[in-house]
Amino acid sequence: MSTTGTEAAKHDAPCGCADACHAGDMPQEMPDEELLYDLADLFKVFADTTRIKILYALMGKELSVGDIAELIGATQSAVSHQLRTLKQAHLVKFQRDGKNVIYSLSDDHVYTMIAQGMTHICE
């Protein structure tokens, strides 16, 4: 049986999750246990209000720890602690600017997850 380019691309997903990654598609089979465990861990990161505030603050802009702390009303220490968790989950990235460290969302997927979550709870 031959497959179209789109079908072949689904099965060659770079993350190894095959059909499970493609929104709107019905998965053909349950993803392996390790992938589901990793997905559950990712969603656990979103279970903290301070982390959500940080992600929301970083939507569309880059900020230093001090700027984030001021914007969300938290201490720099608390923000730094939560940024460590967000970095480990690959949700934020950083770059050095002299003595400052500037944070931003890792990619458009993070922005989409936050935006879709807001849309879902506001409906």
Side-chain angles (χ1 to χ4, degrees), residues 54 57-58 61-71 76 79-80 83 94-95 97 99-104:
I54 292 168
L58 293 173
K61 57 187 157 228
E62 300 177 338
L63 298 168
S64 69
V65 173
D67 292 338
I68 295 168
E70 185 177 327
L71 194 60
Q76 288 190 21
V79 169
S80 292
L83 282 167
F94 66 95
Q95 61 187 13
D97 182 24
K99 291 184 178 183
N100 286 328
V101 178
I102 306 299
Y103 291 88
S104 62

Side-chain angles (χ1 to χ4, degrees), residues 28-41:
Q28 298 301 312
E29 58 188 54
M30 184 67 66
D32 78 12
E33 196 71 22
E34 185 175 339
L35 184 62
L36 293 172
Y37 181 84
D38 290 345
L39 183 60
D41 275 350

